[in-house]
Amino acid sequence: MADKQLSVLLDGREVAVVTQANTGRRELKYASDPSTVPLSLSMPIAQRTHGYRAIDPYLEGLLPDNSDERVRLGRRFSVSPRNPFALLTHVGLDCAGAVQFCDPGRVDEVLGRPGELLPLDEAQIARRLERLRTNPEDGWTAWGETWSLAGAQSKFALARMEGGWAAATGSAPTTHIFKSGVSGFRLQALNEHICMKAAANLGLPAAKTEYWQFGDEPAIVVERYDRQIASDGAVSRLHQEDLCQALAVMPENKYQSDGGPTALDMLTLVGDNAGLDAQAQLLAYFAFNYLIGAPDSHAKNFSVMLGGIVTLAPLYDVASSMPYDFNTRSGLNELAVKISGHNRFGTIRDEHWAELAGKAGFQPDRAVEIVHHIASTLPDALSDAVSAPDLPPEKSELADRMLPRVAELCAKALGSAAIV
């Protein structure tokens, strides 16, 4: 059996080729003139060829973590759901960031193909959200769509157009991600929207979100930070990767408890590639997740933008566990990464943040100042987010539990009395 190849496109040009040998082993080779931007921090351009230890985590990181969705994609395209190369052959034209994948013989066709937006009304979006919620076996993508989204939560991507929403086909990029919320957690989509609004109220760079009701189906609609819309409405893709990809870690190991990246790993990577201000921003992200009681702060939920310079991407995918009942075994009462050996909500102290910062080459005192600033301002920022007049009455269910619990977490961080 002959080796197979996929061309890698970035910013309208072919920058590399991924080869899959008949043994299944994969490697990436950059083009002779690939531009100055690497596909990943784990695959620098100075080294022309990269083996499976780097390219496999990168490819896997572009696909759903959800194994059922992988199986559905494999069945739909008659390929192995465990083979990221095969899946991206079919759904690699609109991935996270600016990267695209296609058969080498189709490069000119793909780069020159037209894009088309197929308008959808609210009833059609409601039906799609309902199917996603009640019949997940239908899959995330609709026929004709070629986008791929990472993560475990069910979602789909559409493009915003003048006057509404549309499915994106051909070369047209999607601009927004629709999520109905995590099953089993009441009002989870509204929870995430409120948390993201609280982050924005604090002045943290955060993905823009809206909370919509499509018929009887609620959804959080997230504006893609990896898309840029020009004044004439043209949409361009922005290159990015998550920190698992940047550290060449497989998505199945995204949690520190599964052997994945630590807070120190992430801070060191960001400091080495983006500098002290980006480290301060990532420390603020960790602190915000901790103080709002968000347990899912693993390495795939932080990303970097890879343009002329490396910058930290906006905050995304933050939802609090404070509205829900949890116990010591549920994982809902702890941060996904440890801060100097501690991650249970209410147990991380100034010295833990200072120790982590010092090991990462960041000023310990400044790290503590960042934590204290967020702790002193988050209760009001969260209260303002919950009080927004455009939110449904159900917000009171979240507010009644979130506000006092988050206030206690913040008070604890500032040295006041104890917590949940």
Side-chain angles (χ1 to χ4, degrees):
M1 184 185 300
D3 293 351
K4 298 178 180 179
Q5 292 189 322
L6 268 180
S7 289
V8 184
L9 310 179
L10 195 62
D11 295 328
R13 61 185 296 186
E14 185 177 17
V15 298
V17 171
V18 179
T19 300
Q20 179 173 274
N22 56 18
T23 60
R25 184 71 60 95
R26 287 172 281 271
E27 73 170 20
L28 175 134
K29 178 176 277 190
Y30 280 113
S32 57
D33 180 22
S35 85
T36 58
V37 179
L39 191 64
S40 167
L41 294 179
S42 65
M43 294 182 284
I45 291 173
Q47 181 182 334
R48 286 285 305 284
T49 302
H50 295 272
Y52 70 94
R53 287 187 175 89
I55 187 59
D56 281 6
Y58 183 80
L59 298 179
E60 291 283 2
L62 297 169
L63 292 161
D65 298 357
N66 185 301
S67 59
D68 290 338
E69 178 60 16
R70 292 277 292 256
V71 168
R72 286 188 285 270
L73 285 173
R75 187 182 303 123
R76 175 175 168 183
F77 297 112
S78 299
V79 298
S80 169
R82 297 183 298 278
N83 187 333
F85 181 99
L87 291 173
L88 286 168
T89 300
H90 298 280
V91 295
L93 292 179
D94 193 39
C95 299
V99 67
Q100 297 174 284
F101 297 86
C102 70
D103 183 278
R106 295 187 58 217
V107 171
D108 290 341
E109 173 195 341
V110 167
L111 292 178
R113 69 195 173 127
E116 185 178 6
L117 297 180
L118 306 177
L120 300 173
D121 61 29
E122 291 199 12
Q124 289 171 303
I125 296 174
R127 286 194 293 272
R128 191 159 177 180
L129 285 165
E130 182 184 20
R131 285 198 304 271
L132 200 65
R133 179 176 55 82
T134 61
N135 297 299
E137 64 275 5
D138 287 349
W140 299 0
T141 57
W143 291 100
E145 295 178 339
T146 54
W147 52 262
S148 177
L149 292 173
Q153 184 180 349
S154 299
K155 65 196 78 171
F156 57 85
L158 298 176
R160 182 168 241 156
M161 58 183 296
E162 187 175 352
W165 302 100
T169 64
S171 63
T174 57
T175 62
H176 289 72
I177 297 169
F178 289 63
K179 300 187 288 185
S180 56
V182 177
S183 177
F185 294 93
R186 178 166 164 75
L187 302 174
Q188 195 275 339
L190 180 58
N191 175 347
E192 181 178 336
H193 171 68
I194 288 170
C195 289
M196 295 303 296
K197 286 297 185 184
N201 289 345
L202 287 173
L204 291 175
K208 296 178 182 178
T209 66
E210 302 170 62
Y211 188 74
W212 282 66
Q213 191 83 23
F214 296 94
D216 293 330
E217 298 296 325
I220 180 173
V221 179
V222 186
E223 181 178 318
R224 298 187 66 154
Y225 63 78
D226 58 348
R227 301 290 183 261
Q228 186 172 56
I229 304 177
S231 57
D232 64 357
V235 182
S236 56
R237 299 175 171 90
L238 302 178
H239 189 30
Q240 68 105 58
E241 66 173 341
D242 67 54
L243 296 193
C244 270
Q245 292 172 306
L247 289 162
V249 173
M250 296 291 276
E252 65 225 43
N253 302 123
K254 62 188 177 184
Y255 288 100
Q256 181 177 345
S257 58
D258 292 327
T262 65
L264 180 58
D265 291 333
M266 291 186 265
L267 281 169
T268 301
L269 173 84
V270 167
D272 288 346
N273 290 278
L276 288 174
D277 287 346
Q279 276 189 313
Q281 190 176 330
L282 183 56
L283 273 165
Y285 289 177
F286 289 152
F288 179 77
N289 273 272
Y290 172 69
L291 293 167
I292 208 163
D296 218 26
S297 53
H298 54 71
K300 280 189 69 63
N301 276 346
F302 304 103
S303 293
V304 286
M305 309 300 297
L306 303 176
I309 59 172
V310 178
T311 59
L312 198 61
L315 190 66
Y316 58 92
D317 280 1
V318 179
S320 176
S321 66
M322 293 296 108
Y324 310 112
D325 293 322
F326 51 81
N327 55 51
T328 55
R329 295 186 228 174
S330 69
L332 293 180
N333 63 341
E334 59 189 27
L335 207 59
V337 291
K338 293 187 176 182
I339 308 300
S340 301
H342 299 265
N343 66 337
R344 180 119 181 239
F345 294 136
T347 67
I348 302 176
R349 302 191 300 270
D350 288 355
E351 58 262 37
H352 303 139
W353 293 105
E355 180 184 344
L356 169 65
K359 288 180 178 178
F362 189 82
Q363 307 95 309
D365 289 349
R366 187 179 173 198
V368 173
E369 288 174 3
I370 289 169
V371 176
H372 282 199
H373 173 70
I374 293 175
S376 63
T377 53
L378 177 55
D380 285 344
L382 181 60
S383 178
D384 289 344
V386 172
S387 301
D390 59 337
L391 297 183
E394 293 83 4
K395 66 183 183 181
S396 62
E397 294 183 38
L398 297 174
D400 289 348
R401 304 197 74 178
M402 283 179 75
L403 293 178
R405 286 184 166 187
V406 169
E408 287 183 75
L409 277 173
C410 291
K412 180 75 170 182
L414 291 168
S416 300
I419 183 63
V420 201

